[in-house]
Structures are given as C-alpha cells and as structure tokens.
C-alpha cells in the first residue's frame, strides 16, 4: 500500500490535472452517499467537527476520508484540518493508498472552485480578492490563477500579519499581491472574490459588489456560519457544488432558504449540471454569480485516484 505524506500529495496533484479530474468525476456515475457530519465538544474551546466521506466508482476505486476540523488549533500552531484518505480497489477490496487528508482537502477544494470559475467568472477576470488567510487561501489563489488571467491579488484578513505573510507567498508564485486594509473598497473593484473563513457573520456585503463579479464561498461550512449577506444572495445568480450538500450544510444557502430570501428554485445549477452542459453558467458580462461549495466526497475520490496513479507511475 502506498503512503503519501503532505509533500508527496501536493506534488501529485498539480492544479491543471486536478481540475480536469474533478470535472470528469462530477460528470461520471460515481456513488456518493450523504457524508457523516458530527460535532465534537472540546472543553474550553470551540466545538470540533468529525467528517466521514465515502465515495466509489463501481468496479474501479472506492475511498473514504476521515477528517477532523479543530477551529482552535491555531492556538497550538496546528492545522485546522487534519485527516487521512484511504483509497481501495472497488473490485477486490484491497487497500491501495493512504493519502494525507489535509493537503488533499485543500487542493481539491481550491480545484473545485476553479472548475466552477470556468463556468461562472468572466474570462478576462484579473483582480481577485482573497478573504481569509488560512491554509485554503494560497491554494485558492493558485487554482483560480490556473483558469483566469489574474494580475492582481488583494488579501484581507483579521490578522494583518498573517495577511502580509500570505502576500509574500503569493509574490513567490509570480503574482502581484498586496494587503487590503479596507475590505469594502477591495471588493468593490474585484472580478473574483474568494472567501475561506470560519465566520459566523457575513463578511462580504452585496452592496459592495460591482457588476460582473464572481463570488466564491468555500468557508462557513456549518448551517450557522455565513460569509455573505442577504443582499449578495438577492443580487446574484446562485450556484452550488451539490444541491444535497449546500442546502443542508452551508449557512450561506441554508439561512436564506430558511428566511425566504432564497428559494430552492432560485438555485441555478449544481456543478455536475454545469460540467455536463445540462445548465448554463454565466450568461452575460455584467451579471453577478455566486458559487457556494461545502465539499463533496467525489472531489476527494478524484484527487485520491489522481495522486495514487501519478505516484504509482513513478515507482
């Protein structure tokens, strides 16, 4: 059985290949049961979350991710996301690979956003605002830059020191970047706004959004969390990674559905429908699009297969 650590996993999942693999998996007939989502109490700290995410392609591959999300791990200088992915043969049941789950999750999440961006953001999008400075941030920037000609990155975070360190990492990738001190001003000039936070309250206001912007929401993974306000929902054509997940788990969708701001019929499409051409994405240069992602097990399976086959070919 192959064992892939964080560095091996990262090297085996280049974004162009990963974006393609996830697109192909969304269009396939893989089986994705509703994931197990459990809240775990941590005395004296914010509650943690245990995720169990199975998925399989009949006769080829099967896998399950076990993921722990501990919001207060920053106090211990540990990653918020810790986990592993176990890939198996769906023909014999043999265990094939154990893949570092945090890196797999970060890269497949960013790649899924980039895949959606191909259908939803303007093709000439050049200015991206990154809201949040955690592990996902650099991955999201790199992934979006794979599909759009980004020339300028504005980084906003509650901790300006973390934002400054992220800017240094972005510049090392060859992109122009700076710390955004005024989030409203940055968002009002953005072509793409990506949010990856654990916020309970909206950070991005719909009144700030210019025509043609694409809003990419990948944080706020609980029904009580939110990164966008009602005005952003009202002004946008809304898309999701999966209807099943986004309408059940993501507060940016769940709360507007509960209050009547959004109806299920208002959700334009899930990502599978965009990939297969069943539904259309962006239809004009001035419309505002919003994509809410809560993650799907098929994304992990696509990444795990790609990583396994890439490393195996090198052995």
């Amino acid at each position: 059985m192959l064992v892939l650590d964080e560095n091996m996993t990262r090297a085996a999942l280049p974004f162009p290949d990963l974006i393609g693999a996830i697109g192909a998996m969304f269009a396939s007939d893989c089986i994705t049961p509703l994931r197990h989502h459990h809240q775990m109490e941590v005395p004296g700290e914010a509650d943690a979350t245990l995720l169990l995410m199975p998925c399989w392609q009949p006769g080829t591959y099967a896998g399950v991710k076990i993921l722990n999300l501990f919001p207060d791990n920053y106090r211990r200088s540990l990653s918020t996301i810790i986990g592993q992915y176990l890939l198996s043969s769906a023909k014999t049941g043999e265990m094939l690979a154990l893949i570092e789950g945090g890196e797999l999750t970060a890269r497949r999440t960013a790649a899924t956003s980039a895949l959606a961006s191909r259908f939803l953001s303007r093709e000439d999008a050049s200015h991206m605002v990154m809201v949040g400075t955690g592990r996902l941030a650099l991955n999201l920037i790199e992934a979006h830059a794979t599909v759009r000609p980004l020339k300028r990155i504005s980084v906003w975070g509650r901790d300006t020191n973390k934002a400054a360190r992220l800017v240094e990492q972005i510049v090392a990738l060859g992109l122009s970047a700076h710390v955004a001190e005024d989030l409203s001003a940055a968002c009002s000039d953005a072509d793409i706004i990506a949010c990856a936070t654990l916020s309970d309250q909206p950070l991005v206001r719909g009144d700030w959004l210019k025509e043609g912007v694409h809003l990419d929401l990948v944080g706020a993974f609980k029904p009580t969390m939110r990164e966008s306000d009602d005005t952003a929902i009202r002004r946008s054509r809304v898309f999701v990674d999966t209807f099943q997940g986004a309408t059940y788990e993501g507060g940016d969708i769940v709360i507007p559905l509960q209050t009547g701001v959004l109806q299920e019929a208002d959700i334009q499409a899930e990502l599978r429908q965009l990939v297969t051409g069943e539904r259309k994405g962006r239809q004009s240069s001035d419309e505002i699009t919003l994509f809410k992602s809560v993650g799907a097990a098929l994304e992990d399976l696509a990444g795990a297969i790609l990583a396994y086959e890439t490393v195996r070919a090198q052995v």
Side-chain angles (χ1 to χ4, degrees):
M1 184 173 73
L2 294 178
V3 178
L4 279 64
D5 62 18
E6 180 178 328
N7 292 330
M8 294 173 68
T9 301
R10 183 183 306 114
L13 296 176
F15 279 117
D17 294 343
L18 182 56
I19 293 167
I22 291 174
M25 189 64 75
F26 266 105
S28 76
D29 294 323
C30 64
I31 309 301
T32 310
L34 185 65
R35 64 187 178 187
H36 297 261
H37 189 286
H38 301 283
Q39 183 170 299
M40 299 190 297
E41 297 77 13
V42 183
E45 299 182 15
D47 288 346
T49 302
L50 169 65
L51 293 176
L52 303 174
M53 302 175 66
C55 185
W56 61 88
Q57 288 180 312
T60 56
Y61 291 103
V64 61
K65 183 171 72 174
I66 302 175
L67 202 66
N68 295 323
L69 293 90
F70 279 68
D72 285 343
N73 262 0
Y74 71 91
R75 300 178 179 178
R76 292 173 280 268
S77 298
L78 293 175
S79 174
T80 299
I81 302 173
I82 298 175
Q84 295 288 337
Y85 193 93
L86 182 61
L87 182 69
S88 306
S89 167
K91 185 175 183 178
T92 66
E94 295 172 281
M95 305 299 178
L96 302 175
L98 186 66
I99 301 167
E100 202 283 314
E103 189 66 19
L104 173 63
T105 300
R107 293 188 76 79
R108 66 80 155 151
T109 301
T112 300
S113 284
L115 177 64
S117 185
R118 279 181 170 169
F119 300 98
L120 301 178
S121 67
R122 290 173 53 134
E123 292 184 2
D124 61 352
S126 62
H127 178 206
M128 176 176 170
V129 172
M130 184 67 240
V131 182
T133 59
R135 183 174 191 172
L136 276 173
L138 189 63
N139 285 284
L140 282 164
I141 292 163
E142 188 175 356
H144 276 287
T146 301
V147 300
R148 290 294 182 253
L150 299 182
K151 298 178 181 177
R152 182 161 52 105
I153 312 296
S154 301
V155 176
W156 182 89
R158 290 190 173 94
D159 187 328
T160 55
N161 290 327
K162 288 183 179 180
R165 288 196 292 271
L166 178 57
V167 164
E168 293 177 357
Q169 294 176 296
I170 298 167
V171 171
L173 294 176
L175 296 168
S176 175
H178 69 278
V179 174
E181 297 183 0
D182 186 335
L183 181 58
S184 64
C187 288
S188 66
D189 186 48
D191 300 314
I192 296 173
I193 303 170
C195 298
T197 74
L198 300 177
S199 180
D200 290 321
Q201 301 297 323
L203 295 170
V204 176
R205 307 288 174 176
D207 290 336
W208 300 344
L209 305 178
K210 74 174 185 179
E211 292 185 349
V213 69
H214 172 56
L215 186 55
D216 174 34
L217 306 176
V218 301
F221 62 91
K222 293 182 179 179
T224 56
M225 294 176 165
R226 205 166 177 189
E227 294 177 312
S228 63
D229 67 358
D230 286 347
T231 302
I233 294 292
R234 291 191 182 99
R235 295 189 64 198
S236 302
R237 293 182 67 230
V238 176
F239 299 82
V240 296
D241 56 350
T242 65
F243 287 121
Q244 184 183 53
T247 60
Y248 178 73
E249 296 182 16
D252 287 285
I253 301 299
V254 172
I255 295 172
L257 286 175
Q258 291 174 341
T259 60
V261 169
L262 180 71
Q263 305 296 322
E264 285 197 21
D266 296 328
I267 300 175
Q268 302 294 306
E270 62 179 354
L271 194 47
R272 174 185 172 88
Q273 294 172 311
L274 295 177
V275 169
T276 61
E278 180 183 342
R279 299 276 183 90
K280 292 184 178 181
R282 174 172 291 273
Q283 297 182 10
S284 70
S285 61
D286 60 353
E287 69 184 8
I288 297 170
T289 55
L290 183 152
F291 176 67
K292 176 58 186 173
S293 172
V294 296
L298 65 88
E299 301 161 15
D300 296 301
L301 181 60
I305 293 171
L306 175 61
Y308 169 70
E309 292 185 344
T310 298
V311 173
R312 188 183 181 190
Q314 298 170 349
V315 174

